[in-house]
Amino acid sequence: MLDAAQKNGYAYPAINITSIVTANAALKAFADAKSDGIIQVSTGGGQFASGLNVNDAAFGAIVLAEAVHRLAEKYDILVALHTDHCHPEKVDSFLRPLLDESRARKEKGLGPLFNSHMFDGSVVDLDENMKISAELLKECVELDIILEIEAGCVGGEEDGHDTSGLPAEKLYTTPDDMLQVYETLNPIGRFMFAATFGNVHGAYKPGSVKLKPTILRDGQKVVMDKYGAEAEMDLVFHGGSGTSAEDLQETLDYGVIKMNIDTDTQYAFTRPIVTHMCENIEGVLKIDGEVGNKKVYDPRGYLKKAEASVAARLVQACDELKSSGNTIYSA
Ligand SMILES: [Zn+2]
């Protein structure tokens, strides 16, 4: 999938899922757009999916991944499973149990549970980040898993991780950083790289985010000037919500093959539910001793609307990232 996207100048939307409803929305969108795509689970998403009493991020991620493996059998598109930001303090409780799960599957002759994982070492200095990233990538390679890493910091707040107080220069990865990442990780195996170019997590009004996609171009150039065209790295765009199609498409020219989308699809989920509640307020509530209207308070009614709305937003992402119509499922 990464080779196909890199060769043909498109990127995959990577949507964060937290439930069967959002998983089905993602699969519907990719199938409707005839696009391959990436479904990912964050630590918070895994925790949520495991239920209030269990509250275990790795366990919830395993449950969601197993469900997606089965659901995806019904579709003629490829879906890669990925886990989102894992900071160093969560490697032992989140990443390692997931790698163990893939190891157990491998022993049974199956493929890995997740096709890729993200280790986010952007909170420590780059040398330490690369040391841990290299160790994890070695383990991943043995299991046919790709590792996504981050250098530089994505701004904003996501899943309880807040970087909004950081100095502005931390939001831009330097060409030297990109070279160091390439030289450390390329000899070990395939990796994806969330280099930062002013991108932020969360929702912002137009004009308040200063993206500098040329940061990606300049970093790739330093690496490719030294190691040749085949050294072009697989870059990841975090914080894709609220970005114009023009800005998105500029990054495709610089080697972006994955764009994370979460905030916009969260809103797309909630928006039709708000309409449903407002239009059916007398039925979804039991007012003045009445019994309400089961037809409108059955959660399936409004969750189907949420599923369709998330899928529509994700089809838009496939169109903007030019993955629509490009599935390599039968190739
Ligand atoms: Zn992110």
Side-chain angles (χ1 to χ4, degrees):
M1 281 173 64
L2 297 183
D3 287 343
Q6 198 64 274
K7 180 165 165 259
N8 298 302
Y10 61 88
Y12 301 106
I15 176 177
N16 286 62
I17 64 155
T18 55
S19 64
I20 296 283
V21 182
T22 41
N24 281 328
L27 290 164
K28 172 174 167 50
F30 295 138
D32 290 352
K34 296 185 171 48
S35 164
D36 300 322
I38 299 171
I39 287 179
Q40 61 189 22
V41 184
S42 68
T43 54
Q47 240 169 9
F48 173 80
S50 72
L52 293 174
N53 282 20
V54 177
N55 200 33
D56 179 326
F59 184 74
I62 290 167
V63 170
L64 285 176
E66 288 183 342
V68 171
H69 272 275
R70 291 306 303 269
L71 290 166
E73 290 170 10
K74 301 288 182 188
Y75 295 86
D76 293 342
I77 40 104
L78 295 181
V79 171
L81 276 160
H82 176 80
T83 56
D84 204 4
H85 294 268
C86 178
H87 295 109
E89 73 277 10
K90 288 189 175 162
V91 167
D92 287 343
S93 64
F94 187 65
L95 268 194
R96 296 220 178 269
L98 298 180
L99 291 172
D100 289 345
E101 198 70 22
S102 284
R103 205 168 284 116
R105 284 173 60 98
K106 194 180 176 182
E107 281 159 15
K108 289 187 230 161
L110 300 168
L113 182 63
F114 285 93
N115 305 94
S116 54
H117 294 292
M118 180 185 192
F119 167 67
D120 179 356
S122 64
V123 290
V124 296
D125 69 50
L126 189 58
D127 288 339
E128 177 69 9
N129 179 354
M130 283 301 98
K131 190 169 154 269
I132 305 169
S133 296
E135 284 165 14
L136 287 169
L137 181 55
K138 275 182 208 141
E139 288 186 51
C140 286
V141 166
E142 287 168 18
L143 299 166
D144 297 322
I145 294 170
I146 290 165
L147 186 71
E148 179 183 332
I149 63 96
E150 179 170 321
C153 253
V154 179
E157 192 272 338
E158 184 190 46
D159 224 27
H161 181 66
D162 190 353
T163 56
S164 54
L166 282 175
E169 69 269 17
K170 281 289 282 179
L171 302 180
Y172 301 100
T173 311
T174 67
D176 281 350
D177 291 345
M178 290 178 73
L179 190 61
Q180 184 179 343
V181 167
Y182 179 81
E183 289 181 338
T184 308
L185 300 182
N186 184 63
I188 303 171
R190 190 82 179 241
F191 65 96
M192 296 183 282
F193 182 3
T196 58
F197 52 103
N199 41 328
V200 289
H201 290 130
Y204 295 85
K205 286 185 179 170
S208 59
V209 176
K210 294 277 175 284
L211 280 183
K212 286 192 206 168
T214 51
I215 294 264
L216 305 179
R217 179 196 67 196
D218 298 347
Q220 290 273 32
K221 184 174 184 307
V222 168
V223 171
M224 289 159 77
D225 281 352
K226 194 165 172 186
Y227 294 101
E230 65 279 9
E232 185 171 28
M233 293 183 285
D234 300 314
L235 300 182
V236 183
F237 185 157
H238 280 244
S241 293
T243 309
S244 72
E246 197 184 12
D247 281 346
L248 291 185
Q249 286 168 4
E250 186 183 351
T251 71
L252 303 181
D253 296 337
Y254 309 147
V256 166
I257 43 68
K258 170 177 183 273
M259 185 194 78
N260 292 1
I261 180 163
D262 189 18
T263 304
D264 279 2
T265 46
Q266 286 177 335
Y267 184 74
F269 189 103
T270 301
R271 185 63 190 84
I273 296 176
V274 174
T275 304
H276 177 94
M277 298 303 168
C278 291
E279 286 177 350
N280 297 289
I281 196 71
E282 312 235 318
V284 294
L285 294 178
K286 296 182 176 179
I287 300 170
D288 294 338
E290 291 302 317
V291 294
N293 179 355
K294 181 175 158 59
K295 272 203 178 70
V296 294
Y297 67 69
D298 180 340
R300 288 172 296 183
Y302 54 85
L303 289 177
K304 275 190 221 170
K305 295 176 186 175
E307 179 184 333
S309 172
V310 169
R313 179 62 187 83
L314 198 52
V315 166
Q316 182 194 328
C318 292
D319 290 344
E320 289 175 354
L321 295 170
K322 304 181 182 179
S323 65
S324 295
N326 276 323
T327 179
I328 55 168
Y329 178 78
S330 53

